[in-house]
Amino acid sequence: MAAGFPSRAGRMVLDRALALLLVVALGFLLPRFMPGDPVELQRASDLDLGLAAAQRETLRQEMGLGGSLGEQFLTYCAALLSGDLGFSVAHAAPVSQVVAGALAWTSLLVLLAFPIYLLIGPWLGIESGLAPERPLGRGLLVGLSALGSVPPYAVSILLLWLLAVAVPLFPLGGAEALLPPADPLVRIAGVLHHAALPALALATHEIVRFFFLSRGATLALSLRPFVINARARGIAGWRLRVTYLARSLAPVLAGRLGDTLAGQFSVVLFVEIVFSYPGIGLVIHEAIRARDLALLQGAVICLAAAILVLNALLDGLAGRLARRG
Amino acid sequence: MVCSVPAPGRQRNSPKRGPAGRRPALRRLLGRGLGLAIAVVLLVSGIGLPPPATGPDILMAPGFAHPLGTNDIGQDVLAGLLAATPNSIAIAFLAAAATLALAILGGLAAACGGRIVQALVLRLVDILQILPSILILLVVAASLEPGLVTLVLLLALTNWHDDVRVVRALILRELTRESLQQARLVGYGWFYLSVRHLLPPIAPELRALALESVRRAALKTAGLGFLGLVDPQLPTWGGMMQDALGHLTTPAWAWLMLPPAVTLALFLLTIQRLSGDPSGRTAAEAEA
C-alpha cells in the first residue's frame, strides 16, 4: 500500500488536471464560435456609449479577443495561472471577485441542504424499509418515486409557489433584504430566512436518492440476525431505528457522499435561477444571457476546479475509511 | 430507433405461450403492435413540427378556446404540448441509442483492444467521469443553441462514458464463454463475433442501460430547454417550462408549468416501469 500510494495520488492529480484543462479549452474555444460578436453585442445593448473604432479595438483587446486564436489561448492560460480570470463587462468587476462572492452564497445553500437530506432521506428510507408491505412503506415508495421523476426546477417552482406565494412564509427570492439591517444577528436571521427555501429545494433531489439507498440497505439489514433478534426481543421505535439501523447505514451513506457533490452542483444551478439566488448558478445563467464570455469561462472553470478538489478530498477520505474497514 | 426498445419484450413473451394460449398471445401481440404502431406514427409525424402560432390572447387561463390556456406570446399551451412531446421523446430515445452505440464501441475497445488502446479508453472515461457532464453540456449548448440532431449528438457525447465500464465488464464476462472461444478458433472476424456471440447474451443489460440513458437524456434536455439553451424553433418540454419562470407570482405559472412538467414526470415514470426496477433505485442513482 505504501509503495502504491504515491503513484495513485499522482495519477489522481494528473486525471483531475487533465479534466480541468478540458474545461479550460472548451470554455475558451466554444464561445469564440458563438454567433454574434461580443463587442458588437455589448454595443447593441444599453451599454452603448457611442464608441469610436479605436475604442472598440481597445475594448476587444481588454476582453482578450485580440490576435490569433493560438495567441489568445496562450495569453489566456498565462493569465489563468497567475490567478487573473479577466474582467466582467456586465458586472463592471473582476471575474474572480464576482465568482468568489457567488461561490460563497452557493456554498451556504449546499451546506444548509446537507443536514436536511442526510436526516430526512435515511429516516424515510428506514420507515419504508421496515414496513415494505404496509401502506406507509408502499406510499413512501410511490411518493418518492414520483418526486424523483420531477425535474429540480419544477420542484423549486412548486415550493416557491406553495411557501412564498400561496402561504407567504418565506421571501420570493434573493439572498437577503435589499438594505441589510445593521444588527449582525438580525442580518444572519434574514440570510437564513432567505436561504431556507432554496436549500430545501436543493435537498429534495438528494432526499430521494438517500431514501432509495437507505430503503435498500434497511431491507437487507432486516434479514440480518442481529436485527431479527432485536425485533424479536421487542426492540422498536427510535432505539431500533437509530441504534440498530442508522448506525449500520452510516458507512453506506458516507460512501455515496462523493457522488452527491457533483449532483448538487447541477441542481443548484436551476434552484438559484428559480429563486434568483445570487450564487454561481445564477451568475452562469446571466453570463450566458449577456454573452459575458470572460465571466462564463471564469465561473465554469472555478466551479469545475472546486468540484474536482472537493471530490478528490472525499475520494481520499472514502478510500481511507474503506481501508480501515 | 424509437420502437427498438419495446421490441425485445415482445419477442421474449411470445415463445412462452403454449399451443392453447396461442390465440390470446397473438391477439395481444397484435394489440400491442397496433398501439405501438400508432404511437410511433404519432411520434414520427410530430417530430419537427413548428412551434404553435402566436396570437393576441396572451396569458389566458384554461377555458373553452384554449383548454390548457396560453402563454405570454399567445401560443396555445395544448398545441405547444402536442408539438413538444414528440420532439422531447424522440430526442431522449435517439440520444440513448447513440449513447449506447458509443458505449458499446468504447466497451469493445476497452475489453478487446490492445493494451495501449485499453489504457487510453479507460483513462479517458475516468477523466470524463470526474466532471459533472452538465457543465460541459452547458458551455457547449450556450455556444451552439442546438437543434434536434446537434442535441442528440451532444447528449450522446456527454453521456457515453458513464456506461463504458459496465459494458466492458459485461463483455469481459462473455469473452470467457466456450461458444465464443470456439467461434473465434473457427476464424470469424471481430464484427461477426460481436454481433452474433458477444452482444446477444448481454442484450437485457444493454436494454436496462439504454432505458436509464433515456431518463437521463430526457431530464438533461428539459434542463437545457428550461435554461433557454435549445434552439427556440424546436418546441420541447423544458422550453415550455421556461415560460413559467417569468410568471411565478401570478396564477399563470400553474398552466404554463404543470402540463409539460406532468408529461415529463409521466414519461420518466413510464421509462422507469419499463426498465423493470420497481424500487427505481438505479434510475434515481443515475440522475445524480
Side-chain angles (χ1 to χ4, degrees):
Chain A
M1 186 193 87
F5 187 65
S7 77
R8 220 178 44 202
R11 195 184 141 159
M12 200 171 83
V13 172
L14 185 67
D15 271 0
R16 279 166 171 80
L18 282 174
L20 195 61
L21 189 67
L22 185 75
V23 176
V24 171
L26 268 181
F28 169 82
L29 278 178
L30 283 162
R32 280 167 171 74
F33 297 120
M34 266 204 228
D37 180 276
V39 177
E40 294 300 322
L41 211 88
Q42 296 293 350
R43 267 165 41 76
S45 67
D46 47 1
L47 287 173
D48 185 6
L49 306 167
L51 297 177
Q55 285 170 311
R56 224 180 298 163
E57 198 46 47
T58 325
L59 191 58
R60 194 173 286 275
Q61 292 290 348
E62 273 174 10
M63 292 169 83
L65 293 168
S68 76
L69 209 60
E71 282 168 25
Q72 286 180 31
F73 188 62
L74 285 182
T75 332
Y76 182 64
C77 286
L80 269 188
L81 284 179
S82 68
D84 175 17
L85 291 169
F87 192 84
S88 161
V89 179
H91 285 253
V95 168
S96 47
Q97 200 180 317
V98 178
V99 170
L103 270 180
W105 286 120
T106 300
S107 314
L108 178 68
L109 286 190
V110 172
L111 280 180
L112 281 179
F114 184 71
I116 302 179
Y117 59 75
L118 221 48
L119 286 178
I120 297 183
W123 175 48
L124 295 181
I126 288 176
E127 292 298 337
S128 173
L130 278 179
E133 298 302 327
R134 294 222 200 103
L136 175 70
R138 282 180 178 222
L140 279 173
L141 181 63
V142 171
L144 279 136
S145 296
L147 192 61
S149 288
V150 181
Y153 31 92
V155 171
S156 305
I157 292 179
L158 284 173
L159 274 177
L160 182 72
W161 177 77
L162 201 68
L163 294 176
V165 180
V167 187
L169 288 176
F170 292 96
L172 276 171
E176 55 182 338
L178 208 55
L179 298 168
D183 184 354
L185 276 181
V186 180
R187 190 170 170 192
I188 289 174
V191 166
L192 289 179
H193 191 210
H194 278 79
L197 265 191
L200 189 60
L202 185 59
T204 310
H205 187 254
E206 291 307 311
I207 288 178
V208 175
R209 227 169 63 94
F210 280 95
F211 166 80
F212 282 120
L213 268 175
S214 321
R215 184 176 185 274
T218 305
L219 284 175
L221 279 175
S222 303
L223 301 175
R224 296 269 299 274
F226 77 99
V227 175
I228 296 176
N229 190 3
R231 289 176 87 173
R233 279 189 291 143
I235 291 174
W238 285 112
R239 191 157 165 227
L240 175 69
R241 284 161 178 75
V242 175
T243 318
Y244 283 81
L245 294 171
R247 202 166 278 180
S248 316
L249 280 179
V252 181
L253 301 183
R256 305 311 293 254
L257 275 177
D259 310 342
T260 300
L261 204 71
Q264 288 272 282
F265 276 103
S266 35
V267 176
V268 87
L269 181 74
F270 298 106
V271 170
E272 286 177 358
I273 291 169
V274 171
F275 289 96
S276 340
Y277 203 83
I280 194 83
L282 197 66
V283 164
I284 290 178
H285 185 59
E286 283 172 354
I288 291 172
R289 298 224 137 175
R291 290 281 145 83
D292 194 339
L293 280 190
L295 186 56
L296 178 60
Q297 288 164 8
V300 168
I301 290 169
C302 287
L303 189 53
I307 293 174
L308 292 181
V309 169
L310 283 173
N311 177 304
L313 288 178
L314 281 174
D315 269 7
L317 201 69
R320 285 191 69 162
L321 280 178
R323 277 201 291 278
R324 269 170 72 192
Chain B
M1 277 311 165
V2 175
C3 60
S4 71
V5 173
R10 204 168 41 168
Q11 287 164 358
R12 209 174 42 207
N13 277 352
S14 41
K16 276 186 200 159
R17 308 276 159 235
R22 202 164 190 176
R23 192 169 282 181
L26 193 72
R27 198 179 293 162
R28 196 184 312 163
L29 198 87
L30 270 180
R32 262 177 126 177
L34 200 66
L36 205 66
I38 293 174
V40 168
V41 167
L42 274 180
L43 208 63
V44 171
S45 62
I47 294 173
L49 273 184
T54 57
D57 305 335
I58 60 165
L59 291 176
M60 299 270 283
F64 282 114
H66 303 284
L68 291 179
T70 61
N71 68 4
D72 51 358
I73 50 173
Q75 289 170 319
D76 187 77
V77 173
L78 180 62
L81 198 61
L82 288 179
T85 301
N87 287 335
S88 307
I89 293 181
I91 291 172
F93 274 101
L94 290 175
T99 305
L100 190 63
L102 282 178
I104 289 177
L105 281 182
L108 277 173
C112 318
R115 270 188 62 185
I116 298 178
V117 177
Q118 286 197 18
L120 274 180
V121 172
L122 288 179
R123 206 56 191 281
L124 181 66
V125 167
D126 275 353
I127 291 173
L128 289 176
Q129 265 185 331
I130 307 173
L131 285 170
S133 56
I134 187 87
L135 272 187
I136 298 179
L137 207 55
L138 202 72
V139 177
V140 180
S143 357
L144 298 180
E145 277 211 347
L148 198 144
V149 177
T150 327
L151 195 57
V152 165
L153 289 178
L154 205 54
L155 286 168
L157 284 175
T158 50
N159 255 345
W160 67 283
H161 50 82
D162 280 343
D163 295 343
V164 169
R165 278 193 182 273
V166 185
V167 174
R168 176 175 185 257
L170 292 171
I171 291 177
L172 284 180
R173 192 189 71 195
E174 291 306 316
L175 277 179
T176 58
R177 281 194 186 233
E178 281 178 10
S179 62
L180 183 86
Q181 296 298 338
Q182 296 201 347
R184 207 167 162 187
L185 285 178
V186 171
Y188 286 116
W190 71 269
F191 185 77
Y192 179 88
L193 286 178
S194 343
V195 173
R196 290 302 296 270
H197 288 274
L198 211 51
L199 297 181
I202 60 172
E205 285 95 338
L206 293 182
R207 177 170 173 265
L209 279 181
L211 285 175
E212 242 174 70
S213 292
V214 170
R215 270 179 68 95
R216 263 183 286 169
L219 268 173
K220 281 182 181 164
T221 313
L224 287 181
F226 181 76
L227 295 176
L229 295 180
V230 175
D231 183 355
Q233 287 300 310
L234 183 74
T236 56
W237 290 327
M240 292 182 72
M241 285 187 261
Q242 192 199 10
D243 289 342
L245 203 49
H247 304 280
L248 292 183
T249 51
T250 68
W253 74 270
W255 71 79
L256 289 177
M257 195 199 69
L258 290 182
V262 169
T263 322
L264 171 63
L266 284 179
F267 175 69
L268 294 176
L269 282 173
T270 310
I271 297 297
Q272 191 174 313
R273 281 293 294 274
L274 276 181
S275 60
D277 182 8
S279 75
R281 190 167 153 196
T282 46
E285 278 174 16
E287 278 161 36

